[in-house]
Structure formats: structure tokens, C-alpha cells
Amino acid sequence: MTISADGSFDAELRAAVAALDAAKRVAVVSHVQPDADTIGSGLALGLVLRRRGMDVRVSFADPVELPASMRTLPGVDLLVPSAEVPGEVDLVVAVDCASASRMGVLADLLTRAPTSIVIDHHRSNTCFGAINVVDPGAESTAGLVARVLDAWGEPIDAEVAHCLYAGLVTDTGSFRWVRPGTHALAERLLATGIDGAEITRGLLDTHPFAWLPMLSRVLATARLEPEVRGGAGLAYVVIGRDDVLGVRPEEVESVVDIVRTAAEAGIAAVFKESRTTENRWTVSLRSRNSGPGADDGVDVAEVATALGGGGHRFAAGYTTEGSPQEIVAALLRAIG
């Protein structure tokens, strides 16, 4: 099954509930280099599955350890290393994965499980599951998991709400990027008694001191290309391996949210070199409209897709290889 514009989303939702209801052994897979939306969504679903007495494992392929900012989420005891995910399960559920490649080595489960569900909100999603609960208009995958649970008739208690709120608050940039219904969902989750302020502080507003000198080093190298895409402008930073010694991955990921504040640039990019492989990079892209009521923001998902990645209109990414000069030049060509 696949989602289409003719209203088949509800059919996919029903099919997903039926598959979840029938399964006894389930693997829930988050994407590589996980963020709070994929982990929160995976753990929320895992908690409900365990509550129903199912044998469930939640995992992601890379890196080895969960980012420190997410280690206090309820249900982290459900997380297992990718090598410990059983090879034989009744159902595999991929959360927040736009393509099978985002599952890393765990994508192999798709060929071995009798059925699979994809729950995701990326517009670039390839609908690689047998059942695809995919809504590009959703603000977060956490919001889609809430809809799955509602359709299943499963209550959202405080532990599940904590996980869903983590995904919601991070993927909306502390509610800067929302859609109708986003605040209603937040209110519903908060009504379970969770501490939204503390959850947000731990995920978005807490960094080790080493983050500050790292920012000083890398932001000093920021560059502006004001003529890119007809004057939309591009601000970018290249972060090498030596720049991030002693700094956690989540601190590196946060840099793009600073670069994107440049008023002269409608597009922001941060190139992050692999800690283990020289000249291998992950690239984060962000864009915005020129002002309130405008709809002229660059579609960075199209740019990322052209370079082998994907994402949303205003937030996307990809992986590439080459020297800093080569990868910047490639991005400039793709943006046009």
C-alpha cells in the first residue's frame, strides 16, 4: 500500500493498526544519526507495544550510542544495539525514515519480516514499506504516531506523552514551525502532567562548556554568498574533524540553527566532516521565506534530493564526499 492524494491515508492508517494488532514480535527502527523525533516516536510506539504484552525492540544503526540529550526519555531500556535486533520478527516499523537507506544496516529487516510499516512526514519519502503512514503535511513523525495510537484506541499516558513531546518540540523548533493542530497536540500531551519546559531545556538548551569554544572557532569561518538563487543568499560553515574534538554530535548538529539566523541569507548550510572518515560529510540545509505571508523560500528538499539526500522544503540534508572546496562548489551548482 502507498499513500496518495485521493485520501488513501486513512486506509493506510487502518492497515497499520491491523498489522500492529496482529504482531507479536516487533522491531521499531529509528534513522541513523537519530534526533529526538525519530527516537521519541520509536520509544513512544515501543512503550505501547510493550504495554500490550508484545516482544518489542527499538534500535538505530549508527552511531553506537544514543545522544546524551535523549538518554532520559522513558523507554530507553527498550533500545538495543543494531546487532541485537532479532533477525526474525513479525513486523518492522520504520519511524521518521524517508527511505530504506536511512535505516542503515537494519534495512535488511525489510526483506525478512512478513510485513513492514513506515511512519514518516518527509515529503521525499519513497514509501518503501508494505504499509506507508506518510503525511508530508505533518509537523513531526511524533504527531503521526499519536494519530496511529488514536486510531488503535491506545491511550497516551505520561511516559508516551513525554516521548512524543520530545519529537514535537524539536521538529517544530520549539513551535516556530507549526501547522493547524500542532498546539492542540502539545496541550493534550502536557495535560498528562509532563514537564514541557524541562523536556525542552534538556533537549535544546543544555550544552557542555566545550560547545562555546567550538562555536567560536567554526562561526569565525562562516561565509556568505549573497547572489545565490537570484539573491536569496547562502550562509554556510564547514566543520572539520579537528573542530569537534571533545564535542558531542548533538552540539555539532545545533550549529545550523545559528547559521540560519543570518538576515542576508535565505538558505543556510553546515558541512560536517565524519569523525572517522576524512573528506566524508553530512550536510544540513535550512531555508525560509523572505517575510510574513511570503511563499518564496527555496525548496531545500529538492536540492538535497539532487545530491542524494532528502527532507522537507525548509529543512533537508544529504551525505557527500570530497574536499571542502569540492563539496561547497557542488552545493552552489545544485542551488543555482
Side-chain angles (χ1 to χ4, degrees):
M1 295 183 177
T2 58
I3 188 171
S4 66
D6 62 5
S8 65
F9 180 85
D10 287 343
E12 296 294 285
L13 200 56
R14 291 191 296 271
V17 167
L20 288 165
D21 211 34
K24 297 189 181 304
R25 297 171 299 171
V26 183
V28 181
V29 181
S30 295
H31 62 66
V32 296
Q33 304 296 326
D35 58 15
D37 192 24
T38 191
I39 292 296
S41 297
L43 292 180
L45 185 57
L47 285 166
V48 172
L49 291 168
R50 181 167 65 181
R51 187 171 71 197
R52 290 178 61 90
M54 298 180 186
D55 180 3
V56 56
R57 316 291 171 84
V58 182
S59 189
F60 56 90
D62 183 64
V64 175
E65 295 186 350
L66 183 69
S69 61
M70 303 175 217
R71 293 176 191 169
T72 59
L73 290 177
V76 289
D77 58 302
L78 291 169
L79 281 167
V80 299
S82 58
E84 295 181 18
V85 177
E88 301 298 327
V89 294
D90 302 321
L91 173 67
V92 57
V93 184
V95 287
D96 205 42
C97 298
S99 65
S101 64
R102 294 290 283 158
M103 298 171 66
V105 296
L106 289 171
D108 184 53
L109 289 170
L110 295 169
T111 63
R112 289 184 280 147
T115 193
S116 58
I117 302 172
V118 172
I119 305 176
D120 184 43
H121 69 131
H122 292 91
R123 190 174 64 184
S124 58
N125 192 282
T126 59
C127 290
F128 59 94
I131 302 165
N132 299 285
V133 182
V134 178
D135 181 0
E139 77 289 289
S140 65
T141 295
L144 287 175
V145 170
R147 289 158 72 180
V148 170
L149 296 180
D150 287 345
W152 201 6
E154 284 293 330
I156 296 176
D157 60 19
E159 286 195 331
V160 173
H162 184 143
C163 293
L164 295 178
Y165 192 85
L168 184 66
V169 74
T170 52
D171 250 37
T172 60
S174 294
F175 301 101
R176 285 176 288 180
W177 312 301
V178 297
R179 63 188 292 268
T182 301
H183 289 96
L185 175 59
E187 174 60 25
R188 178 185 172 192
L189 299 176
L190 290 168
T192 65
I194 61 173
D195 188 338
E198 185 60 23
I199 293 169
T200 302
R201 187 194 68 79
L203 290 168
L204 298 174
D205 295 330
T206 302
H207 300 284
F209 181 80
W211 181 65
L212 298 176
M214 184 273 288
L215 283 179
S216 176
R217 290 192 302 272
V218 302
L219 293 179
T221 68
R223 296 291 179 267
L224 177 66
E225 298 285 348
E227 303 306 317
V228 164
R229 188 60 75 94
L234 167 70
Y236 70 89
V237 165
V238 178
I239 304 178
R241 297 159 69 187
D242 294 340
D243 295 319
V244 298
L245 295 175
V247 179
R248 304 175 309 187
E250 52 258 54
E251 269 67 65
V252 181
E253 292 301 318
S254 71
V255 174
V256 71
D257 289 320
I258 299 173
V259 176
R260 63 180 293 276
T261 63
E264 298 88 347
I267 311 166
V270 174
F271 301 85
K272 299 156 289 184
E273 189 174 21
S274 166
R275 295 172 187 254
T276 59
T277 306
E278 186 177 5
N279 283 337
R280 181 172 178 80
W281 310 80
T282 56
V283 186
S284 296
L285 301 176
R286 300 290 186 271
S287 67
R288 57 176 170 77
N289 291 324
S290 60
D295 188 29
D296 54 0
V298 173
D299 188 339
V300 290
E302 287 188 356
V303 175
T305 300
L307 294 167
H312 308 287
R313 177 180 175 184
F314 297 118
Y318 62 97
T319 301
T320 189
E321 295 184 357
S323 69
Q325 295 79 11
E326 290 169 338
I327 60 174
V328 170
L331 176 61
L332 289 171
R333 288 194 298 270
I335 294 175

